[in-house]
Amino acid sequence: MTGLQHTKAGRRRIMRRFSAALAAVLWTAGSLTACGSSSSRDDANGVSIRQPEGPTVSIGVASDQPGLGVWHNGGYSGFDVDVARYVAKALGYADKQIVFKPVTPRSRVSMLESAQVDMVVSSFGITERHESAVTMTGPYLIVRQDLLVRAADADDITGIKDMNGRKACVVAGSDVTDAVRSQAPKASIEERDDYGQCLTSLLIGDVDAVAAGDAILTGLATVKGNGYVQVVGAPFGEERYGIAVKHGNTQLADSIGDILSDMIGDGTWRQAVRGMRRQIGYTVDSKLNPPDPAASSDTASSDPEQGDE
């Protein structure tokens, strides 16, 4: 990048940061869940929880992706959840004002469109297809697409080409489907509603592999695989995970992009990555991470030496 480009990029970033606080205040005041008194309700998992008082922010997260987003012991945890909390707090919300709601790749766009959630932080790939339906910012994590197979089949399935003539399970609405179709055109693709269903289909022999981002697959293998499944380790594509807001809300998206840059810059992102590694044994690719959330607008590149150690 030339010196002039650096100067222009820096000015754009400064202007966005200057407006971020105002955008957060306006968004908080006018577009989020209305104030209300405390009450109890059952969440999607059938657990009674106490609703927070005052203005809240609703964030869609996964409930079936160990290490990224999972429901366990009455709460949500994982790397995506850590990112969501950081963003919400930077926008002015306390923990008690953050409401997490489970989403799936199939439901996340419709939940944004219907205002059931204010943003989605759920292994949501930044693609042209998605950006025609929602406004996205990021990425905050870049993963590689891979396969999860039965350990007994690891010698026979060593890469995506070996899926020709075999069955691959994908979660409906996920980004990996097109990559499998293009690189293994003779593979049969079976869709399931969530990753737990895909894992079950793999374990009982209905499919030969699960295709997804390697972080998701590592979490499934570590937490739920019981030694019977393993990640192939032969990536065939990349996914850039970003945060989605309702289509057209570019000011909020720009503000969140700046917040993500702050998270990476102040060390919180690295801390969350290390937490994911402790939970599921997943190490981010330092050649791809940490990403630059402003790269799409500033034509900047991230420093690969800042990746997880």
Side-chain angles (χ1 to χ4, degrees), residues 181-292:
R181 284 175 174 159
S182 64
Q183 299 189 49
K186 295 183 180 179
S188 298
I189 296 178
E190 296 196 8
E191 291 188 340
R192 299 290 187 272
D193 290 332
D194 57 48
Y195 288 101
Q197 292 178 11
C198 268
L199 179 60
T200 298
S201 294
L202 176 64
L203 290 171
I204 66 177
D206 283 349
V207 299
D208 300 295
V210 178
D214 57 359
I216 294 173
L217 299 179
T218 300
L220 292 175
T222 301
V223 177
K224 299 183 177 182
N226 296 316
Y228 293 106
V229 297
Q230 66 184 61
V231 180
V232 169
F236 54 89
E238 297 176 5
E239 292 183 14
R240 301 163 62 242
Y241 291 166
I243 294 180
V245 298
K246 194 167 184 178
H247 191 265
N249 199 343
T250 55
Q251 187 177 25
L252 176 59
D254 286 345
S255 297
I256 293 175
D258 288 334
I259 292 169
L260 292 175
S261 293
D262 290 340
M263 184 180 185
I264 291 171
D266 67 17
T268 307
W269 182 91
R270 183 191 294 270
Q271 182 179 354
V273 162
R274 287 173 174 165
M276 178 168 56
R277 183 172 63 186
R278 288 192 298 270
Q279 291 173 10
I280 63 172
Y282 178 76
T283 300
V284 301
D285 190 330
S286 61
K287 295 180 180 179
L288 303 175
N289 293 281
D292 184 351

Side-chain angles (χ1 to χ4, degrees), residues 22-277:
L22 177 60
V25 171
L26 293 175
W27 188 58
T28 300
S31 64
L32 296 184
T33 307
C35 297
S37 60
S38 178
S39 61
S40 296
R41 65 175 174 82
D42 288 344
D43 80 340
N45 295 279
V47 177
S48 179
I49 61 175
R50 188 171 180 80
Q51 296 224 57
E53 295 183 359
T56 62
V57 58
S58 296
I59 306 176
V61 295
S63 62
D64 63 340
Q65 299 175 20
L68 290 172
V70 67
W71 172 268
H72 182 66
N73 288 337
Y76 289 93
S77 63
F79 179 77
D80 285 358
V81 177
D82 290 340
V83 172
R85 281 200 178 96
Y86 186 98
V87 170
K89 288 181 178 180
L91 289 171
Y93 292 89
D95 274 330
K96 64 182 180 180
Q97 295 174 297
I98 304 171
V99 178
F100 291 113
K101 295 184 178 181
V103 298
T104 66
R106 191 200 295 269
S107 71
R108 54 196 177 191
V109 171
S110 63
M111 289 184 70
L112 273 173
E113 291 175 338
S114 62
Q116 295 180 65
V117 295
D118 300 301
M119 68 180 77
V120 171
V121 190
S122 177
S123 58
F124 204 158
I126 300 174
T127 65
E128 290 184 4
R129 175 171 63 91
H130 291 153
E131 289 186 306
S132 67
V134 298
T135 294
M136 302 200 71
T137 188
Y140 62 84
L141 181 68
I142 302 177
V143 303
R144 297 189 184 276
Q145 295 170 329
D146 213 319
L147 298 171
L148 184 70
V149 300
R150 291 181 291 273
D153 296 334
D155 291 338
D156 297 322
I157 304 176
T158 60
I160 188 64
K161 300 299 183 183
D162 293 326
M163 289 307 297
N164 283 304
R166 291 186 166 97
K167 294 180 180 180
C169 188
V170 301
V171 171
S174 62
D175 300 318
V176 74
T177 305
D178 291 341
V180 175
R181 284 175 174 159
S182 64
Q183 299 189 49
K186 295 183 180 179
S188 298
I189 296 178
E190 296 196 8
E191 291 188 340
R192 299 290 187 272
D193 290 332
D194 57 48
Y195 288 101
Q197 292 178 11
C198 268
L199 179 60
T200 298
S201 294
L202 176 64
L203 290 171
I204 66 177
D206 283 349
V207 299
D208 300 295
V210 178
D214 57 359
I216 294 173
L217 299 179
T218 300
L220 292 175
T222 301
V223 177
K224 299 183 177 182
N226 296 316
Y228 293 106
V229 297
Q230 66 184 61
V231 180
V232 169
F236 54 89
E238 297 176 5
E239 292 183 14
R240 301 163 62 242
Y241 291 166
I243 294 180
V245 298
K246 194 167 184 178
H247 191 265
N249 199 343
T250 55
Q251 187 177 25
L252 176 59
D254 286 345
S255 297
I256 293 175
D258 288 334
I259 292 169
L260 292 175
S261 293
D262 290 340
M263 184 180 185
I264 291 171
D266 67 17
T268 307
W269 182 91
R270 183 191 294 270
Q271 182 179 354
V273 162
R274 287 173 174 165
M276 178 168 56
R277 183 172 63 186

